[in-house]
Amino acid sequence: MRGTLFIIFCFFCSFTQAQHVIQGQVTDPAGKPIAGVSVWVESRTSMVTFSRSKEDGSFQIKLDVSLDSLVLKAKTMNYAEYKQSISNQSQSVPITLQPQATELREVVITNPSPVRRNGDTLSYSVDKFATKNDRVVADLLKKLPGITVESDGRILYQGDPIQKFYIEGMDLLNGQYNLASNNLPVKAVKDIQVIERHQPIRVLDSLVRSERASLNLKLKNGVAQTGTAKVGGGFNPFLWDVNVTPMLFTQKQQMIVSYQTNNTGKDVALDLKTLTVDDFKDNLTSLTRKQDLVRVQALTNPPFEAHRYLFNQTHLVSFNYLFKVKKYTELRLNASYLNQRTRQNGSTFTRFYTEQDTIQLYENKQNRQYAQTFEGTASIIHNSPRQYLENTFHASLTSEQQSGAIETGTRSINQNLHNPYYSFYNRFKLLKTIGRQVVSLHSSSFYTKTPQRLFVHSKGSDSTDNIINQQVLFNHFHTNNYASFSKKLGIIDLSQTAGFLFESQDFQSDLSYLNPFRSITNDSKLLRYKYYSLTESNFTFNKLTIRIKIPVSLWKLTLTEPYRFIAEPSALIKYTLSQVTDVRVNYSVSNQFPNLSYLYPNRVMKDYRTFQENHIDYIQRKSQIFYSGIFHVNTLKAVFANLTYSFSKTFSNVLPNTTLSSEGDLITIQTFQPNQTQSHSINGHVSKYILSTKTNLSLTSNAQMSLSNQVVNENYSSIRNYVWFNTLRIEQSFGNQLGLTYSLNRIDQKNTINTLNQGRYHSNTHQFNSYYNLFTNHTVSFSGEIYELSYSTTQTSNSFFDLTYRYTFPKSKFELEGQWNNIFNSRSYTFINNDTYSYILNTYQLRPSQFLVTGKFSF
Amino acid sequence: MKYQHLKIVLYLFLFISLVSTSLAQVTLDSVAVKCNYLYTFQEDSTNTASKKSEMTVLLIGKHISRFNTLNMIKADSVRAMIRKERDTRGRDYAAGLISSIPKTKFHFIIYKNHPVQKYTVSDKIFKDTYIYQEEIPEFNWSIKPDKKTVAGYPCQKAITSFAGRTYEAWFTTDIPISDGPYKFSGLPGLIVAIEDTQHFFSFQLTSLTKPTTQEPIAITTEKTISTTRKEFDKGTQHLKNNFFDVTENQGIKFDRRNTSLQQMLEKEKKSLNNFIEKN
């Protein structure tokens, strides 16, 4: 050992003449070597060089010859420090350390965070973060550490969506906070506060820990009135886009009013979007969504963003008001009025096929719509530490008129539609603690009224007039009440809900033909009761997860029917095969009982060439769905693959009997005839990322086969539908400046009616998208779609391009933006959609090339 | 002594082959000193406003140390609490608590195995935990004469370069432990503060305490996939460039036509350009 060290020593001496070497061994008093000891040399009390002792206690330190006043030191945990003055020459120093407990001085320094913190509340001082370029709160939020703002305006704190958006501690906008964040000027705000562990429901404060954050804006003293405005103009035709949003904030009350108008194809709905997630789910919004019982023959909207095809004139007024009644009680009113005129022009070519022959129908459509919608929500919220009580009343009133002109070549049809809709709902929620359990009580009720009228005047080529008038009225009352709680029993998580539902429905209609005059009417009523219980349980053993839901209910579907017992069990099994692979199997049963607007016995005209009647008491659809899949994710190898198979079977007690006339008129009669439909679907997906070229490739393939029955022109037939979708997608980026995406969708489709082939349909859709960042503030994006389709002998090809150039002038207080859309002025777009007995080729008129300049400022 | 090392070395090599055993945790060492460092990092090198910070913890044992963010540990304990809550108050309650799990930007745990001069790093890509080993590099610390008191300890300056950046460290021989935050070690005393010369990344000691009760330094062996540093970096790159596919495979669907979402991701990708290890 010493020999080796000596050789090393000589080696270093010959190598670096200007260095001396100190070497030795560190041992304890018993002579046992100590490893990992820090050994260093200080010159004039400052460390100059160091080493650590090896496994055998040996150490070696190289020393610059010019140094003087040297002290050799050695130290490690649980031994006393060694200290020895040495001369500057190569030498061997044995070090013996004496055992001694090391006193470590503990330190604790309080948080040196630059942002003020008070308990769970973080305050960002606006003056420190804001610059001249920040106009509204959203501009500032984007810059605050820990806060992110998504493209739709949703605010995230530490990656999580915020729970509530408060202004001075009050939740004025109930989640529709874009109105405030995009319009409240920065100069009115003093602090932006993040309440980190915020439990908005005070009853749960001590019981349920929350890590979700909420945002609160503290306004500057004396700020009572503020707001912003935006004015944009352009061509062609004359375009406008205006937004004026004044606001008022006082101790007791808050108000935000907004007026927005445009004819640029912009959908204003985003400003009214609810961005927070409600804790309690109920489907009142979807249950009370507007339903049209009669309609104007419509054009299907193209599958891309509205600003490319929406011809509109929109006015929106939004009014939001909050009043603090008491310390824990608030009254809130959110109201909006939307006035919108839209038009759609285009044509459809429909090909119907039956067993005997194929019927073709060409329709040139010009539709106009004028709708006014008023929506109002009034809430009273009592949120005290003892209980949480919320009652919300919502009213939505729509007055709508549509007109449509159709030319088929042999007929010209004028349609006039009045399709207003009224809906009201009330939601009640009470939360109380009983012991350590929280029991919740929910009650929701709605009433909807659908009085609609369709007037059709058609003229044949032989100048025969035909006038038909259809009136319908549908009233629906629904109430659903339940209580729920959850508990753990052994290894099973159990949750129990019990409740009852009551519905009253009433349907009236009158179909009148003018020459000769005759009238067909309906008048039916329906009362329905449902008592239900839902038990959910969840087990997890090791790699296996089983989730079982058992909803049971007693339904009284009509007054004459007896109570029927319905169980709709479902189960999910998940098993982890390996780190990268898992298997899922799911089975569920569900029942649907469509409402009275699907049960009228006598004829109703749905649109100018679609009629329906129902010769049944009720409709029951019982579905069974089986789903299984294997999923493989290997992040390291950049390979993703999955394969799924699903099978569904639906039993229905009714079958539609359709009569198709040579002019394309459809008369559907729903009759009692038990039948079933089946479908199989296999889906596969593989993707691979190639790191060396930064290319992402993915391939998706889906094959579907469905079997159903239909009766068309009194021929009972079974239909098989085969569809095969394939998608290839390539993404390629070249640095940060340029990006390209290309995808190819291929659809192959075949229909057989009683094994008789109805022809094949193929379509190829090429889509590409590219963007180019010229400099800061300049962006060019270019995208396009090319459609190729063939059906039997028909072949079409259609292309569509969109070029956008955006420039933002960075100016203080005032911001200017220029935008040019659809530079190539593509005027129409063609695509296909289909159902079981028809293919429809749609041609849709698009917005022309347009240029828009927008200026924004605050007041 | 040697057997002790062997046992640790054995453990560190062994658990890699023990993937998916029921054994949840292996105790490697026990905590002698516990240090908290405030980690400040700038995610976008072009934007000083993108500076963020997180609290980190260094647990030092006799032979092995463990370094990770504080929220990572907190998240573990909240998860344990949630399991307990589920037992007492039921599933719905526990489900509500899931959002209360503390968030961290960093899911790494760095174990420094001093006897064999190796790091064992466990880290996440999306939801999978990977584990790999790396050599502890020769830091070649250059000791400078500058001295100052940092966090109450008399410190001296030392300079090194690591993974493409130059760092200035302040260490104290008052704590004769050759360790430090992140992957830094090799000085004759504890690193109290360290920052790169471009001021993008810094660690500052905020507390040093000795545990009053026995605390283990443990490693989780359950549900981890063993790999190499190279493969892991490739996987991280892949997630960055292929976010849609990775998430869609986890059952989250996106509308790929949504260009604003693509642009947002692109922007986010651009603003996340500064990593502590350049190479």
Side-chain angles (χ1 to χ4, degrees), chain B residues 27-275:
Chain B
T27 300
L28 303 169
D29 208 332
S30 63
V31 181
V33 181
K34 190 173 181 174
C35 304
N36 284 328
Y37 290 90
L38 181 74
Y39 176 27
T40 307
F41 48 96
Q42 187 175 324
E43 289 182 314
D44 182 354
S45 60
T46 61
N47 181 7
T48 48
S50 70
K51 262 206 163 85
K52 296 187 171 70
S53 56
E54 263 198 56
M55 198 52 82
T56 59
V57 192
L58 174 68
L59 301 176
I60 305 169
K62 204 164 178 191
H63 305 285
I64 285 174
S65 70
R66 171 184 156 140
F67 180 77
N68 46 253
T69 65
L70 187 68
N71 274 0
M72 247 200 86
I73 302 188
K74 272 193 188 161
D76 283 347
S77 64
V78 172
R79 276 189 206 101
M81 186 199 82
I82 289 172
R83 281 194 287 274
K84 223 174 104 188
E85 289 285 303
R86 213 166 60 180
D87 295 354
T88 53
R89 264 183 241 171
R91 184 159 58 84
D92 277 9
Y93 258 84
L97 295 178
I98 286 173
S99 60
S100 73
I101 295 172
K103 299 291 176 295
T104 179
K105 290 227 164 212
F106 307 97
H107 294 274
F108 60 72
I109 306 176
I110 298 162
Y111 296 90
K112 294 192 196 93
N113 188 355
H114 294 298
V116 294
Q117 281 295 295
K118 274 199 166 82
Y119 301 116
T120 297
V121 183
S122 93
D123 204 344
K124 267 186 171 173
I125 299 180
F126 210 66
K127 69 170 182 106
D128 296 327
T129 306
Y130 295 89
I131 200 155
Y132 59 87
Q133 293 209 328
E134 258 187 307
E135 295 285 328
I136 297 184
E138 276 297 329
F139 277 98
N140 292 319
W141 289 103
S142 152
I143 308 286
K144 299 287 159 196
D146 314 51
K147 284 181 163 187
K148 74 171 175 188
T149 304
V150 185
Y153 297 102
C155 292
Q156 193 164 344
K157 187 165 148 181
I159 286 175
T160 192
S161 58
F162 172 72
R165 298 183 193 278
T166 306
Y167 288 90
E168 239 181 61
W170 294 90
F171 67 98
T172 181
T173 54
D174 274 15
I175 315 290
I177 296 170
S178 181
D179 215 321
Y182 196 61
K183 291 183 175 173
F184 301 102
S185 70
L187 282 164
L190 185 75
I191 297 169
V192 179
I194 183 164
E195 185 174 22
D196 76 306
T197 49
Q198 287 171 289
H199 310 289
F200 288 147
F201 302 94
S202 80
F203 295 90
Q204 282 188 304
L205 186 78
T206 60
S207 78
L208 183 147
T209 50
K210 284 188 287 185
T212 45
T213 53
Q214 176 94 1
E215 273 182 48
I217 295 180
I219 189 158
T220 305
T221 60
E222 205 179 26
K223 291 179 177 171
T224 56
I225 307 164
S226 72
T227 182
T228 61
R229 168 71 191 261
K230 210 178 144 191
E231 288 287 290
F232 182 82
D233 286 350
K234 232 162 96 183
T236 319
Q237 271 288 319
H238 178 256
L239 174 69
K240 214 176 107 188
N241 291 304
N242 218 1
F243 180 76
F244 282 111
D245 264 319
V246 177
T247 47
E248 277 188 8
N249 272 281
Q250 310 285 341
I252 302 156
K253 288 279 172 205
F254 288 101
D255 178 12
R256 289 195 191 240
R257 257 200 276 261
N258 187 342
T259 48
S260 60
L261 183 66
Q262 300 253 19
Q263 272 166 11
M264 186 193 86
L265 278 172
E266 222 30 69
K267 217 170 131 190
E268 182 145 328
K269 226 159 82 181
K270 244 165 80 185
S271 67
L272 276 176
N273 53 31
N274 208 19
F275 302 96

Side-chain angles (χ1 to χ4, degrees), chain A residues 38 40 45-48 50 52 55 75-77 102 104-109 112 143 145-146 148 150-151 158 160 204 207-212 303 305 436-438 486-488 493 495 536 538 579-580 632-633 635-638 640-642 685 687 689 691 696 698 729 731 736 767 769 771 773 785, chain B residues 2 5 33 38 49 51-52 78 81 86-87 89-93 97 99-101 103 125 128 130 141 143 145 147 151-153 156 171 173-178 186-188 205-210 223-225 227 231-232 234-235 237-238 241-242 245-246 249-250 256-257 259-260 262 264 266 270:
Chain A
S38 297
W40 70 92
T45 73
S46 184
M47 187 187 291
V48 287
F50 74 97
R52 298 186 76 203
E55 200 74 350
K75 199 173 180 182
T76 193
M77 290 291 283
T102 308
L104 292 182
R105 197 157 40 82
E106 300 194 357
V107 294
V108 176
I109 295 161
K143 297 200 299 189
T148 327
E150 292 188 324
S151 57
Q158 302 283 24
D160 258 2
L204 304 177
L207 283 170
V208 181
R209 244 169 69 111
S210 163
E211 282 301 309
R212 287 180 64 188
E305 285 170 59
R436 287 179 65 82
Q437 304 277 337
V438 174
S486 56
K487 201 168 172 61
K488 171 127 180 159
D493 294 324
S495 147
E536 285 178 82
N538 201 356
Q579 249 335 298
V580 290
H632 178 88
V633 181
T635 334
L636 292 185
K637 298 274 178 249
F640 300 85
N642 63 57
H685 174 77
S687 74
Y689 180 67
L691 192 64
N696 185 17
S698 77
R729 195 180 156 81
E731 275 172 73
N736 294 328
Q767 290 177 311
N769 202 331
Y771 66 88
N773 295 325
E785 276 158 70
Chain B
K2 279 208 162 160
H5 291 174
V33 181
L38 181 74
K51 262 206 163 85
K52 296 187 171 70
V78 172
M81 186 199 82
R86 213 166 60 180
D87 295 354
R89 264 183 241 171
R91 184 159 58 84
D92 277 9
Y93 258 84
L97 295 178
S99 60
S100 73
I101 295 172
K103 299 291 176 295
I125 299 180
D128 296 327
Y130 295 89
W141 289 103
I143 308 286
K147 284 181 163 187
Y153 297 102
Q156 193 164 344
F171 67 98
T173 54
D174 274 15
I175 315 290
I177 296 170
S178 181
L187 282 164
L205 186 78
T206 60
S207 78
L208 183 147
T209 50
K210 284 188 287 185
K223 291 179 177 171
T224 56
I225 307 164
T227 182
E231 288 287 290
F232 182 82
K234 232 162 96 183
Q237 271 288 319
H238 178 256
N241 291 304
N242 218 1
D245 264 319
V246 177
N249 272 281
Q250 310 285 341
R256 289 195 191 240
R257 257 200 276 261
T259 48
S260 60
Q262 300 253 19
M264 186 193 86
E266 222 30 69
K270 244 165 80 185

Side-chain angles (χ1 to χ4, degrees), chain A residues 126-127 137 140 184-192 216-220 223:
Chain A
V126 170
D127 288 344
V137 170
L140 183 62
L184 184 60
V186 162
K187 61 174 188 188
V189 184
K190 180 167 161 263
D191 281 325
I192 294 178
N216 182 34
L217 303 181
K218 286 219 58 94
L219 303 178
K220 280 183 183 155
V223 170

Side-chain angles (χ1 to χ4, degrees), chain A residues 153-393:
Chain A
R154 191 185 303 268
I155 301 167
L156 312 180
Y157 176 69
Q158 302 283 24
D160 258 2
I162 58 158
Q163 183 172 216
K164 292 275 177 188
F165 185 101
Y166 296 107
I167 299 167
E168 289 282 342
M170 292 183 237
D171 184 14
L172 169 67
L173 295 166
N174 193 22
Q176 300 176 347
Y177 57 74
N178 264 342
L179 215 48
S181 58
N182 287 333
N183 294 301
L184 184 60
V186 162
K187 61 174 188 188
V189 184
K190 180 167 161 263
D191 281 325
I192 294 178
Q193 299 181 322
V194 174
I195 311 151
E196 276 186 326
R197 278 166 277 271
H198 182 245
Q199 173 54 265
I201 296 176
R202 291 194 176 93
V203 177
L204 304 177
D205 215 8
S206 58
L207 283 170
V208 181
R209 244 169 69 111
S210 163
E211 282 301 309
R212 287 180 64 188
S214 293
L215 200 82
N216 182 34
L217 303 181
K218 286 219 58 94
L219 303 178
K220 280 183 183 155
N221 286 340
V223 170
Q225 292 154 39
T226 180
T228 51
K230 178 179 96 173
V231 179
F235 55 91
N236 188 16
F238 171 66
L239 299 172
W240 70 82
D241 185 2
V242 177
N243 176 348
V244 183
T245 307
M247 308 177 189
L248 173 87
F249 302 102
T250 69
Q251 293 263 312
K252 278 241 149 198
Q253 51 190 334
Q254 297 190 342
M255 184 164 77
I256 296 181
V257 181
S258 182
Y259 169 66
Q260 301 182 21
T261 174
N262 81 78
N263 69 340
T264 60
K266 189 168 111 180
D267 193 359
V268 292
L270 193 66
D271 288 45
L272 298 177
K273 190 174 168 184
T274 302
L275 298 165
T276 53
V277 193
D278 203 352
D279 295 318
F280 295 92
K281 289 176 206 132
D282 67 40
N283 45 2
L284 272 178
T285 18
S286 65
L287 282 170
T288 57
R289 192 161 292 143
K290 186 169 189 269
Q291 182 193 6
D292 283 338
L293 300 168
V294 285
R295 60 189 182 237
V296 161
Q297 260 284 322
L299 279 157
T300 311
N301 286 337
F304 40 68
E305 285 170 59
H307 69 85
R308 293 195 198 168
Y309 64 82
L310 184 70
F311 288 85
N312 69 316
Q313 279 186 29
T314 305
H315 302 268
L316 169 77
V317 180
S318 167
F319 174 82
N320 304 276
Y321 179 73
L322 184 142
F323 183 71
K324 210 165 183 148
V325 183
K326 274 187 228 160
K327 192 182 173 193
Y328 292 125
T329 312
E330 286 173 359
L331 254 168
R332 185 174 61 207
L333 187 71
N334 303 92
S336 69
Y337 168 74
L338 179 73
N339 179 315
Q340 183 158 272
R341 272 173 213 277
T342 59
R343 63 190 161 91
Q344 42 173 213
N345 294 332
S347 63
T348 57
F349 178 76
T350 312
R351 203 187 273 259
F352 301 94
Y353 33 79
T354 62
E355 207 176 354
Q356 297 85 14
D357 55 349
T358 303
I359 296 158
Q360 297 183 359
L361 179 65
Y362 171 80
E363 291 166 294
N364 185 0
K365 300 175 184 174
Q366 295 203 321
N367 292 341
R368 302 283 180 274
Q369 185 196 34
Y370 176 56
Q372 299 179 77
T373 304
F374 167 80
E375 285 202 61
T377 311
S379 299
I380 180 151
I381 302 147
H382 177 73
N383 185 5
S384 80
R386 298 170 64 98
Q387 67 173 5
Y388 180 82
L389 191 147
E390 182 185 336
N391 195 74
T392 300
F393 177 76

Side-chain angles (χ1 to χ4, degrees), chain A residues 612-838:
Chain A
Q612 187 168 336
E613 49 195 76
N614 308 287
H615 300 165
I616 31 138
D617 288 338
Y618 67 91
I619 303 174
Q620 178 177 19
R621 287 195 202 103
K622 185 181 178 182
S623 309
Q624 284 173 285
I625 298 166
F626 172 82
Y627 170 87
S628 63
I630 181 160
F631 300 84
H632 178 88
V633 181
N634 191 334
T635 334
L636 292 185
K637 298 274 178 249
V639 178
F640 300 85
N642 63 57
L643 188 68
T644 60
Y645 165 74
S646 66
F647 170 69
S648 74
K649 208 183 209 178
T650 304
F651 296 92
S652 176
N653 62 338
V654 295
L655 187 67
N657 264 284
T658 305
T659 311
L660 186 61
S661 81
S662 57
E663 288 195 303
D665 291 359
L666 283 164
I667 299 162
T668 302
I669 300 169
Q670 303 237 60
T671 49
F672 179 78
Q673 190 169 358
N675 70 97
Q676 78 177 52
T677 55
Q678 282 184 21
S679 85
H680 300 263
S681 167
I682 296 173
N683 191 73
H685 174 77
V686 184
S687 74
K688 167 87 183 144
Y689 180 67
I690 304 157
L691 192 64
S692 53
T693 56
K694 293 194 170 172
T695 311
N696 185 17
L697 284 171
S698 77
L699 185 71
T700 308
S701 189
N702 178 283
Q704 284 176 24
M705 199 275 276
S706 62
L707 242 161
S708 56
N709 303 299
Q710 70 177 32
V711 180
V712 177
N713 293 349
E714 293 181 344
N715 288 298
Y716 182 93
S717 48
S718 62
I719 298 170
R720 277 168 194 270
N721 188 324
Y722 301 86
V723 191
W724 194 27
F725 297 98
N726 282 297
T727 306
L728 170 74
R729 195 180 156 81
I730 303 167
E731 275 172 73
Q732 177 77 54
S733 62
F734 303 94
N736 294 328
Q737 242 71 47
L738 180 65
L740 291 172
T741 311
Y742 166 77
S743 74
L744 168 67
N745 283 283
R746 185 178 168 84
I747 302 172
D748 290 283
Q749 198 167 344
K750 195 178 89 174
N751 256 1
T752 64
I753 298 179
N754 288 342
T755 71
L756 197 77
N757 204 332
Q758 295 297 312
R760 283 166 186 275
Y761 160 73
H762 303 284
S763 83
N764 285 329
T765 309
H766 305 265
Q767 290 177 311
F768 73 91
N769 202 331
S770 61
Y771 66 88
Y772 184 57
N773 295 325
L774 284 161
F775 313 100
T776 354
N777 304 331
H778 297 255
T779 311
V780 178
S781 67
F782 182 56
S783 60
E785 276 158 70
I786 300 168
Y787 273 68
E788 293 166 356
L789 6 127
S790 77
Y791 171 66
S792 299
T793 53
T794 321
Q795 286 198 340
T796 61
S797 177
N798 209 270
S799 54
F800 166 80
F801 300 97
D802 199 26
L803 185 64
T804 312
Y805 173 72
R806 183 180 276 126
Y807 177 58
T808 314
F809 299 86
K811 278 272 170 77
S812 68
K813 268 193 131 182
F814 188 75
E815 205 178 281
L816 212 58
E817 186 187 83
Q819 202 174 335
W820 187 9
N821 277 331
N822 194 1
I823 291 183
F824 293 149
N825 202 19
S826 308
R827 297 308 299 267
S828 73
Y829 181 76
T830 304
F831 61 106
I832 275 187
N833 53 354
N834 71 305
D835 57 41
T836 53
Y837 41 76
S838 63

Side-chain angles (χ1 to χ4, degrees), chain A residues 455-620:
Chain A
F455 176 82
V456 173
H457 180 193
S458 66
K459 274 191 190 128
S461 49
D462 51 356
S463 68
T464 48
D465 266 15
N466 198 2
I467 292 172
I468 313 174
N469 188 38
Q470 173 71 64
Q471 293 205 13
V472 282
L473 173 66
F474 179 53
N475 294 323
H476 190 178
F477 173 76
H478 169 116
T479 177
N480 185 11
N481 307 280
Y482 65 93
S484 73
F485 78 102
S486 56
K487 201 168 172 61
K488 171 127 180 159
L489 287 174
I491 56 156
I492 310 164
D493 294 324
L494 214 66
S495 147
Q496 182 61 47
T497 302
F500 74 95
L501 187 151
F502 167 74
E503 278 188 310
S504 159
Q505 302 173 18
D506 156 19
F507 185 92
Q508 290 164 33
S509 76
D510 183 350
L511 171 64
S512 8
Y513 295 83
L514 272 190
N515 35 340
F517 181 82
R518 67 195 161 101
S519 168
I520 301 166
T521 59
N522 281 294
D523 189 355
S524 41
K525 280 185 169 48
L526 180 69
L527 295 178
R528 268 181 185 173
Y529 303 88
K530 181 192 179 186
Y531 302 92
Y532 62 95
S533 148
L534 168 65
T535 309
E536 285 178 82
S537 55
N538 201 356
F539 320 72
T540 307
F541 312 101
N542 224 355
K543 294 178 186 173
L544 182 72
T545 305
I546 302 175
R547 206 168 294 157
I548 295 170
K549 277 188 193 182
I550 309 168
V552 289
S553 50
L554 272 178
W555 269 101
K556 199 168 175 71
L557 288 171
T558 66
L559 278 180
T560 50
E561 282 276 317
Y563 271 105
R564 53 173 70 211
F565 175 78
I566 286 162
E568 299 169 303
S570 70
L572 170 82
I573 299 167
K574 189 180 155 190
Y575 186 75
T576 311
L577 273 182
S578 77
Q579 249 335 298
V580 290
T581 315
D582 64 54
V583 181
R584 281 167 234 170
V585 180
N586 192 9
Y587 173 78
S588 63
V589 181
S590 63
N591 279 281
Q592 269 188 299
F593 301 102
N595 67 34
L596 198 58
S597 66
Y598 299 90
L599 296 172
Y600 43 84
N602 301 319
R603 186 163 301 183
V604 167
M605 173 174 68
K606 300 189 78 114
D607 64 48
Y608 89 93
R609 56 178 175 83
T610 311
F611 300 84
Q612 187 168 336
E613 49 195 76
N614 308 287
H615 300 165
I616 31 138
D617 288 338
Y618 67 91
I619 303 174
Q620 178 177 19

